[in-house]
Short mmCIF file of all heavy atoms in Angstrom, two decimals:
data_model
loop_
_atom_site.label_atom_id
_atom_site.label_comp_id
_atom_site.label_asym_id
_atom_site.label_seq_id
_atom_site.Cartn_x
_atom_site.Cartn_y
_atom_site.Cartn_z
N SER A 1 -24.55 5.00 -15.09
CA SER A 1 -23.48 5.91 -14.66
C SER A 1 -22.45 5.13 -13.87
O SER A 1 -22.71 4.03 -13.38
CB SER A 1 -24.07 7.02 -13.80
OG SER A 1 -24.49 6.49 -12.55
N LYS A 2 -21.28 5.74 -13.69
CA LYS A 2 -20.23 5.12 -12.86
C LYS A 2 -20.72 4.89 -11.44
O LYS A 2 -20.41 3.85 -10.83
CB LYS A 2 -18.98 6.03 -12.82
CG LYS A 2 -18.21 6.06 -14.11
CD LYS A 2 -17.01 6.98 -13.98
CE LYS A 2 -16.30 7.11 -15.31
NZ LYS A 2 -15.15 8.01 -15.25
N GLU A 3 -21.50 5.84 -10.91
CA GLU A 3 -22.05 5.72 -9.57
C GLU A 3 -22.97 4.51 -9.47
O GLU A 3 -22.91 3.76 -8.48
CB GLU A 3 -22.79 7.00 -9.16
CG GLU A 3 -21.89 8.21 -9.00
CD GLU A 3 -21.53 8.90 -10.33
OE1 GLU A 3 -22.22 8.66 -11.37
OE2 GLU A 3 -20.54 9.64 -10.35
N ASP A 4 -23.83 4.33 -10.47
CA ASP A 4 -24.75 3.19 -10.46
C ASP A 4 -24.00 1.87 -10.57
O ASP A 4 -24.35 0.88 -9.91
CB ASP A 4 -25.77 3.31 -11.60
CG ASP A 4 -26.92 4.26 -11.27
OD1 ASP A 4 -27.12 4.57 -10.08
OD2 ASP A 4 -27.62 4.67 -12.20
N ILE A 5 -22.96 1.85 -11.39
CA ILE A 5 -22.15 0.63 -11.53
C ILE A 5 -21.48 0.29 -10.20
O ILE A 5 -21.50 -0.87 -9.77
CB ILE A 5 -21.12 0.78 -12.68
CG1 ILE A 5 -21.85 0.90 -14.03
CG2 ILE A 5 -20.17 -0.41 -12.69
CD1 ILE A 5 -20.96 1.31 -15.18
N CYS A 6 -20.94 1.28 -9.54
CA CYS A 6 -20.33 1.05 -8.21
C CYS A 6 -21.37 0.57 -7.20
O CYS A 6 -21.08 -0.30 -6.38
CB CYS A 6 -19.64 2.32 -7.72
SG CYS A 6 -18.15 2.73 -8.63
N PHE A 7 -22.55 1.13 -7.29
CA PHE A 7 -23.65 0.73 -6.39
C PHE A 7 -24.01 -0.74 -6.64
O PHE A 7 -24.20 -1.51 -5.70
CB PHE A 7 -24.84 1.65 -6.58
CG PHE A 7 -26.02 1.32 -5.71
CD1 PHE A 7 -25.91 1.32 -4.33
CD2 PHE A 7 -27.24 1.01 -6.28
CE1 PHE A 7 -26.99 1.00 -3.52
CE2 PHE A 7 -28.33 0.71 -5.48
CZ PHE A 7 -28.22 0.71 -4.11
N LEU A 8 -24.08 -1.16 -7.90
CA LEU A 8 -24.38 -2.55 -8.25
C LEU A 8 -23.28 -3.47 -7.73
O LEU A 8 -23.55 -4.56 -7.20
CB LEU A 8 -24.56 -2.70 -9.75
CG LEU A 8 -25.86 -2.13 -10.32
CD1 LEU A 8 -25.80 -2.06 -11.85
CD2 LEU A 8 -27.06 -2.96 -9.86
N GLN A 9 -22.03 -3.05 -7.86
CA GLN A 9 -20.91 -3.83 -7.31
C GLN A 9 -21.06 -3.99 -5.80
O GLN A 9 -20.80 -5.08 -5.27
CB GLN A 9 -19.58 -3.12 -7.61
CG GLN A 9 -19.07 -3.32 -8.99
CD GLN A 9 -17.67 -2.73 -9.07
OE1 GLN A 9 -17.52 -1.51 -9.19
NE2 GLN A 9 -16.68 -3.58 -9.01
N LYS A 10 -21.43 -2.92 -5.14
CA LYS A 10 -21.59 -2.96 -3.69
C LYS A 10 -22.70 -3.95 -3.31
O LYS A 10 -22.53 -4.74 -2.35
CB LYS A 10 -21.95 -1.55 -3.18
CG LYS A 10 -22.10 -1.44 -1.70
CD LYS A 10 -22.40 -0.01 -1.30
CE LYS A 10 -22.65 0.04 0.20
NZ LYS A 10 -23.08 1.37 0.65
N ILE A 11 -23.81 -3.95 -4.05
CA ILE A 11 -24.88 -4.92 -3.76
C ILE A 11 -24.39 -6.34 -3.99
O ILE A 11 -24.66 -7.23 -3.16
CB ILE A 11 -26.11 -4.64 -4.67
CG1 ILE A 11 -26.75 -3.29 -4.31
CG2 ILE A 11 -27.15 -5.76 -4.55
CD1 ILE A 11 -27.83 -2.85 -5.29
N LEU A 12 -23.67 -6.56 -5.08
CA LEU A 12 -23.15 -7.91 -5.36
C LEU A 12 -22.27 -8.39 -4.22
O LEU A 12 -22.36 -9.55 -3.79
CB LEU A 12 -22.38 -7.93 -6.68
CG LEU A 12 -23.20 -7.78 -7.96
CD1 LEU A 12 -22.26 -7.65 -9.16
CD2 LEU A 12 -24.12 -8.95 -8.14
N LEU A 13 -21.44 -7.52 -3.71
CA LEU A 13 -20.52 -7.90 -2.64
C LEU A 13 -21.25 -8.09 -1.30
O LEU A 13 -21.09 -9.11 -0.64
CB LEU A 13 -19.40 -6.86 -2.49
CG LEU A 13 -18.34 -7.17 -1.45
CD1 LEU A 13 -17.61 -8.47 -1.77
CD2 LEU A 13 -17.36 -6.02 -1.35
N GLU A 14 -22.04 -7.08 -0.91
CA GLU A 14 -22.66 -7.10 0.41
C GLU A 14 -23.79 -8.13 0.52
O GLU A 14 -23.95 -8.75 1.56
CB GLU A 14 -23.17 -5.72 0.79
CG GLU A 14 -22.03 -4.74 1.03
CD GLU A 14 -22.50 -3.34 1.37
OE1 GLU A 14 -23.74 -3.07 1.40
OE2 GLU A 14 -21.62 -2.49 1.60
N LYS A 15 -24.58 -8.27 -0.52
CA LYS A 15 -25.72 -9.19 -0.44
C LYS A 15 -25.35 -10.63 -0.82
O LYS A 15 -25.86 -11.57 -0.23
CB LYS A 15 -26.87 -8.71 -1.33
CG LYS A 15 -28.06 -9.61 -1.23
CD LYS A 15 -29.32 -8.98 -1.71
CE LYS A 15 -30.47 -9.94 -1.40
NZ LYS A 15 -31.73 -9.41 -1.72
N PHE A 16 -24.48 -10.77 -1.81
CA PHE A 16 -24.21 -12.12 -2.33
C PHE A 16 -22.76 -12.59 -2.14
O PHE A 16 -22.41 -13.69 -2.53
CB PHE A 16 -24.52 -12.17 -3.84
CG PHE A 16 -25.94 -11.82 -4.17
CD1 PHE A 16 -26.26 -10.63 -4.78
CD2 PHE A 16 -26.98 -12.69 -3.88
CE1 PHE A 16 -27.57 -10.30 -5.10
CE2 PHE A 16 -28.29 -12.39 -4.19
CZ PHE A 16 -28.59 -11.19 -4.79
N ASN A 17 -21.91 -11.71 -1.59
CA ASN A 17 -20.48 -12.02 -1.44
C ASN A 17 -19.81 -12.32 -2.80
O ASN A 17 -19.00 -13.22 -2.90
CB ASN A 17 -20.26 -13.16 -0.44
CG ASN A 17 -18.82 -13.21 0.03
OD1 ASN A 17 -18.13 -12.18 0.11
ND2 ASN A 17 -18.33 -14.39 0.33
N ILE A 18 -20.20 -11.57 -3.79
CA ILE A 18 -19.63 -11.71 -5.13
C ILE A 18 -18.69 -10.52 -5.37
O ILE A 18 -19.10 -9.36 -5.36
CB ILE A 18 -20.74 -11.73 -6.21
CG1 ILE A 18 -21.60 -12.97 -6.03
CG2 ILE A 18 -20.14 -11.68 -7.60
CD1 ILE A 18 -22.84 -13.01 -6.90
N LYS A 19 -17.42 -10.86 -5.56
CA LYS A 19 -16.41 -9.83 -5.81
C LYS A 19 -16.36 -9.55 -7.29
O LYS A 19 -16.48 -10.47 -8.13
CB LYS A 19 -15.05 -10.31 -5.30
CG LYS A 19 -15.02 -10.51 -3.81
CD LYS A 19 -13.72 -11.06 -3.32
CE LYS A 19 -13.82 -11.26 -1.82
NZ LYS A 19 -12.85 -12.19 -1.31
N SER A 20 -16.19 -8.27 -7.63
CA SER A 20 -16.17 -7.87 -9.03
C SER A 20 -15.25 -6.69 -9.23
O SER A 20 -14.79 -6.06 -8.28
CB SER A 20 -17.58 -7.51 -9.49
OG SER A 20 -18.06 -6.38 -8.77
N SER A 21 -15.00 -6.40 -10.49
CA SER A 21 -14.23 -5.21 -10.86
C SER A 21 -14.97 -4.58 -12.03
O SER A 21 -15.91 -5.16 -12.60
CB SER A 21 -12.81 -5.58 -11.21
OG SER A 21 -12.79 -6.49 -12.31
N VAL A 22 -14.53 -3.40 -12.41
CA VAL A 22 -15.14 -2.72 -13.55
C VAL A 22 -14.16 -2.74 -14.71
O VAL A 22 -13.00 -2.41 -14.57
CB VAL A 22 -15.51 -1.26 -13.20
CG1 VAL A 22 -16.10 -0.55 -14.41
CG2 VAL A 22 -16.51 -1.23 -12.05
N LYS A 23 -14.67 -3.19 -15.85
CA LYS A 23 -13.86 -3.29 -17.07
C LYS A 23 -14.28 -2.19 -18.03
O LYS A 23 -15.48 -2.02 -18.29
CB LYS A 23 -14.09 -4.66 -17.71
CG LYS A 23 -13.34 -4.90 -18.98
CD LYS A 23 -13.70 -6.22 -19.60
CE LYS A 23 -12.98 -6.33 -20.93
NZ LYS A 23 -13.46 -7.40 -21.74
N ASN A 24 -13.34 -1.48 -18.56
CA ASN A 24 -13.60 -0.39 -19.53
C ASN A 24 -14.64 0.61 -19.05
O ASN A 24 -15.39 1.16 -19.83
CB ASN A 24 -14.06 -0.99 -20.86
CG ASN A 24 -13.03 -1.89 -21.48
OD1 ASN A 24 -11.83 -1.77 -21.22
ND2 ASN A 24 -13.47 -2.82 -22.30
N GLU A 25 -14.72 0.81 -17.75
CA GLU A 25 -15.65 1.76 -17.12
C GLU A 25 -17.10 1.50 -17.41
O GLU A 25 -17.96 2.31 -17.09
CB GLU A 25 -15.30 3.20 -17.53
CG GLU A 25 -13.92 3.65 -17.10
CD GLU A 25 -13.65 5.11 -17.42
OE1 GLU A 25 -14.60 5.85 -17.74
OE2 GLU A 25 -12.48 5.50 -17.34
N SER A 26 -17.44 0.35 -18.04
CA SER A 26 -18.84 0.15 -18.40
C SER A 26 -19.33 -1.28 -18.26
O SER A 26 -20.46 -1.57 -18.61
CB SER A 26 -19.09 0.62 -19.83
OG SER A 26 -18.33 -0.17 -20.73
N LYS A 27 -18.50 -2.16 -17.75
CA LYS A 27 -18.90 -3.55 -17.60
C LYS A 27 -18.44 -4.07 -16.24
O LYS A 27 -17.34 -3.79 -15.81
CB LYS A 27 -18.28 -4.40 -18.72
CG LYS A 27 -18.83 -4.02 -20.11
CD LYS A 27 -18.14 -4.82 -21.17
CE LYS A 27 -18.52 -4.43 -22.58
NZ LYS A 27 -19.41 -3.36 -22.84
N ILE A 28 -19.32 -4.83 -15.61
CA ILE A 28 -18.94 -5.46 -14.35
C ILE A 28 -18.37 -6.83 -14.68
O ILE A 28 -18.98 -7.62 -15.38
CB ILE A 28 -20.17 -5.59 -13.40
CG1 ILE A 28 -20.61 -4.19 -12.97
CG2 ILE A 28 -19.80 -6.46 -12.20
CD1 ILE A 28 -21.84 -4.19 -12.08
#
């Protein structure tokens, strides 16, 4: 889901300092 994708992005940023965006609403 979009919520899960946003949650994964948050983990990437907060835990690993990896910045990301969402492409086509379904890919990080």
Side-chain angles (χ1 to χ4, degrees):
S1 69
K2 288 179 185 179
E3 293 80 18
D4 280 342
I5 294 169
C6 289
F7 180 59
L8 288 167
Q9 280 187 282
K10 182 179 176 186
I11 293 171
L12 290 173
L13 183 61
E14 291 178 359
K15 182 162 186 175
F16 301 108
N17 197 31
I18 296 171
K19 296 176 182 160
S20 63
S21 59
V22 178
K23 178 184 176 193
N24 300 335
E25 297 185 14
S26 64
K27 295 176 185 3
I28 293 177

